[in-house]
């Protein structure tokens, strides 16, 4: 049986995939419904599977296919409507069809309105290279990407990988989806002692199970505002709210870098440190993320969006509202100031950065407990992109000269054999900072990316 349980959710399972679309669905010139949008989701892991389910059961009229490289997964999805490896208890709609393990041919891809890539970053370049000859460059479908990470050897963002493999046009049109949206998530920990503070207004924040139709919000960014809006329209539902934007570099960096800092948050918990430590750690992590983003030409405000502040906040504990923003505030201080983030966002959001549903947090936690990385990876069962991102990020930090001691400490634990406790003690013994908030100017990386995209 499906894990969906509420009457509204059960209705989604029973309805026909050709039911009347909700208000705002595409219609023709004379009011007739357009042909269904055709969508292919590439990748049948946790996130690919849950987004295929989301699209297939939306109020829009769509036809959805899920590609898997695993023949057993294709067979199980088509016959039993279950994914044998991910979200294993969930029953997918019978009209969601699986294809694979071979890639669909060129004629099939020509009929698609959107390709959604849920391929981990380490394998994305090879995968896109194999797809290049199958795509019509003069008539590209919408291209949406949900992977997060920096390619370790080349230090490339996904935007650059797309430009290298599919060409500048594809990169300019590509959209990136990022935000607090765990594919599966645990029950709210309503017994958290922090809720005993009776006079504090409590509320829950972050993402809940996408497949359970609990409210989820994401950023959708593209160089092309038109394409970001089109992708948002296909995903947007009453339970899945999209916010389009035009800073894909910032959204990509926020989504990639937060994985490294989620590792650090896990390490802190694994070492036995408590809330004050985590609050300071994640606040300073956001300062590092913002500085790195600025060096790439990204807007510092992007790190205050769902892709930045929102994504590390996707955890399974209730949170507490300690303060309210005034009507006038300095965005830069909100982004990286300990007084604002430390008192407002960290207790209200980042103290929740402790979920076992985060693969990166889990790796960090186990490292903090003294386990070896190789042993952790063998038993994890899925990719923790922060591990590979930390390697590429280390090279970037060395090149651009941005101060990022937390990211460098994580690199030393992952790749240089340093113990987590030694790395933590070294961080606390760094010389006193000259100032808390420090701007970082653009570097050559921003110009190099624009050159790849053939944008002046």
């Amino acid at each position: 049986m499906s894990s969906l349980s509420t009457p509204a959710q059960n209705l989604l399972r029973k309805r026909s995939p050709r039911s009347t679309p909700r208000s705002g669905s595409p219609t023709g010139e004379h009011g007739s419904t357009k042909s269904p949008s055709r969508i292919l989701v590439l990748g049948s892991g946790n996130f690919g599977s849950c987004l295929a389910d989301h699209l297939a059961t939306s109020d829009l009229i769509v036809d959805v296919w899920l590609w898997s490289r695993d023949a057993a997964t294709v067979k199980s999805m088509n016959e039993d409507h279950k994914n044998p490896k991910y979200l294993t208890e969930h029953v997918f709609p019978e009209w969601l069809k699986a294809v694979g393990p071979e890639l669909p041919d060129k004629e099939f891809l020509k009929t698609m309105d959107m390709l959604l890539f849920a391929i981990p970053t380490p394998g994305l370049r090879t995968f896109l290279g194999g797809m290049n000859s199958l795509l019509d460059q003069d008539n590209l479908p919408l291209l949406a990407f949900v992977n997060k990470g920096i390619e370790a050897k080349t230090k490339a963002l996904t935007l650059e990988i797309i430009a290298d493999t599919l060409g500048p046009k594809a990169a300019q049109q590509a959209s990136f989806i990022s935000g607090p949206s765990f594919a599966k998530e645990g029950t709210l920990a309503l017994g958290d002692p922090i809720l005993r503070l009776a006079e504090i207004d409590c509320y829950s924040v972050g993402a809940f199970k996408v497949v359970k139709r609990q409210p989820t919000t994401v950023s959708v960014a593209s160089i092309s505002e038109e394409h970001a809006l089109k992708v948002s329209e296909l995903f947007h539902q009453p339970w899945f709210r999209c916010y389009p934007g035009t800073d894909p570099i910032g959204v990509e960096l926020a989504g990639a870098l937060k994985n490294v800092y989620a590792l650090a948050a896990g390490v802190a918990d694994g070492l036995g440190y408590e809330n004050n430590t985590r609050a300071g750690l994640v606040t300073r992590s956001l300062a590092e993320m913002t500085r790195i983003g600025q060096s790439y030409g990204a807007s510092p405000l992007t790190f205050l969006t769902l892709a930045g502040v929102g994504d590390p906040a996707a955890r399974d504990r209730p949170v507490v509202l300690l303060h309210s923003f005034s009507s006038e505030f300095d965005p830069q201080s909100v982004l990286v100031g300990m007084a604002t983030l430390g008192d407002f966002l960290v207790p209200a959001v980042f103290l929740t950065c402790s979920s076992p549903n985060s693969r990166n947090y889990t790796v960090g936690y186990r490292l903090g407990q003294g386990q070896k990385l190789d042993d952790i990876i063998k038993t994890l069962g899925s990719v923790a992109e922060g591990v590979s991102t930390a390697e590429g990020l280390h090279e970037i930090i060395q090149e651009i000269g941005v101060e990022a001691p937390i990211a460098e400490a994580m690199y030393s634990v992952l790749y240089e054999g340093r113990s987590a406790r030694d790395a933590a003690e070294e961080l606390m013994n760094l010389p006193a900072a000259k100032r808390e908030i420090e701007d970082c100017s653009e570097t050559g990386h921003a110009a190099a990316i624009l050159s790849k995209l053939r944008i002046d």
Side-chain angles (χ1 to χ4, degrees):
M1 294 296 291
S2 169
S3 61
L4 303 183
S5 57
T6 70
Q9 292 162 345
N10 288 332
L11 179 61
L12 282 172
R13 283 281 168 253
K14 295 176 182 177
R15 72 166 179 80
S16 163
R18 290 292 172 268
S19 61
T20 304
R22 68 181 173 90
S23 174
S25 295
T27 56
E29 292 181 5
H30 303 292
S32 59
T33 303
K34 284 185 178 180
S35 299
S37 296
R38 295 165 63 87
I39 301 170
L40 174 62
V41 180
L42 295 148
S44 60
N46 267 327
F47 212 42
S49 296
C50 81
L51 290 179
D53 179 88
H54 165 73
L55 292 163
T57 57
S58 75
D59 292 342
L60 295 172
I61 302 299
V62 294
D63 287 331
V64 183
W65 288 263
L66 175 65
W67 173 82
S68 176
R69 67 177 76 249
D70 179 59
T73 297
V74 174
K75 184 175 186 293
S76 179
M77 288 290 293
N78 287 330
E79 295 180 359
D80 303 321
H81 314 299
K82 285 192 170 186
N83 187 325
K85 294 185 176 181
Y86 301 96
L87 304 173
T88 55
E89 299 302 313
H90 183 67
V91 178
F92 292 83
E94 61 186 24
W95 55 86
L96 171 60
K97 300 301 181 184
V99 294
E102 297 81 13
L103 280 173
D105 60 27
K106 191 170 186 176
E107 293 306 310
F108 181 84
L109 292 176
K110 276 184 178 179
T111 68
M112 292 297 112
D113 295 296
M114 181 171 74
L115 301 180
L116 173 62
F117 295 87
I119 306 296
T121 302
L124 186 63
R125 184 179 294 273
T126 300
F127 185 84
L128 293 182
M131 287 201 69
N132 188 21
S133 61
L134 301 175
L135 297 178
D136 181 359
Q137 291 291 332
D138 294 325
N139 190 27
L140 289 170
L142 293 172
L143 304 173
F145 293 80
V146 297
N147 62 296
K148 299 171 182 177
I150 296 171
E151 195 173 41
K153 300 302 181 184
T154 67
K155 299 162 287 184
L157 301 178
T158 297
L159 192 66
E160 298 175 88
I161 297 172
I162 298 167
D164 291 341
T165 55
L166 302 182
K169 181 179 178 181
Q172 290 177 29
Q173 296 180 5
S175 295
F176 301 87
I177 301 171
S178 186
S181 46
F182 286 138
K184 64 176 183 176
E185 193 165 24
T187 304
L188 291 174
L190 297 178
D192 196 312
I194 200 167
L195 293 180
R196 295 170 190 165
L197 300 174
E199 296 184 0
I200 298 178
D201 179 24
C202 301
Y203 65 101
S204 61
V205 72
F208 302 95
K209 289 183 179 178
V210 174
V211 295
K212 289 190 71 175
R213 303 299 178 259
Q214 295 192 27
T216 297
T217 48
V218 297
S219 298
V220 180
S222 174
I223 290 173
S224 165
E225 184 175 17
E226 175 188 358
H227 286 82
L229 287 168
K230 287 180 177 179
V231 170
S232 294
E233 287 170 1
L234 283 173
F235 275 94
H236 197 88
Q237 291 293 307
W239 61 86
F240 196 98
R241 188 167 183 83
C242 299
Y243 291 86
T246 55
D247 184 14
I249 293 175
V251 165
E252 267 207 80
L253 283 170
L257 300 183
K258 62 89 186 174
N259 288 327
V260 177
Y261 296 109
L263 288 168
V267 167
D269 283 3
L271 290 170
Y273 300 145
E274 298 184 1
N275 289 344
N276 286 346
T277 303
R278 194 186 313 129
L281 170 67
V282 183
T283 301
R284 297 311 303 162
S285 294
L286 187 61
E288 291 189 14
M289 289 170 61
T290 304
R291 285 199 296 268
I292 295 167
Q294 284 183 291
S295 75
Y296 271 81
S299 168
L301 290 177
T302 297
F303 295 87
L304 191 57
T305 69
L306 294 162
V309 167
D311 212 348
R315 304 297 182 257
D316 64 356
R317 293 186 184 177
V319 293
V320 181
L321 180 61
L322 294 182
H323 301 298
S324 298
F325 281 135
S326 63
S327 58
E328 296 181 1
F329 65 95
D330 176 6
Q332 185 74 353
S333 69
V334 170
L335 278 171
V336 296
M338 190 73 76
T340 46
L341 271 175
D343 286 348
F344 171 69
L345 286 175
V346 174
V349 176
F350 287 131
L351 286 186
T352 65
C353 190
S354 55
S355 173
N357 296 307
S358 165
R359 294 161 295 184
N360 295 290
Y361 170 85
T362 299
V363 171
Y365 184 85
R366 292 171 66 179
L367 285 169
Q369 291 193 317
Q371 297 182 40
K372 300 295 184 183
L373 179 62
D374 288 345
D375 296 334
I376 297 169
I377 297 300
K378 286 177 184 177
T379 59
L380 190 63
S382 56
V383 177
E385 290 187 320
V387 175
S388 59
T389 299
E391 186 177 8
L393 179 58
H394 169 71
E395 298 294 330
I396 290 170
I397 291 168
Q398 297 299 308
E399 276 191 21
I400 63 181
V402 170
E403 186 179 348
I406 299 171
E408 290 289 75
M410 275 313 312
Y411 175 83
S412 70
V413 172
L414 292 168
Y415 294 103
E416 295 179 343
R418 179 173 294 177
S419 76
R421 189 167 298 279
D422 285 347
E425 290 178 357
E426 182 174 319
L427 280 173
M428 293 306 296
N429 280 288
L430 289 172
K434 294 180 180 178
R435 60 180 62 87
E436 184 177 359
I437 300 171
E438 186 173 347
D439 280 335
C440 181
S441 58
E442 284 187 21
T443 65
H445 273 64
I449 293 174
L450 293 179
S451 176
K452 279 189 179 183
L453 301 178
R454 297 180 185 171
I455 296 174
D456 296 329

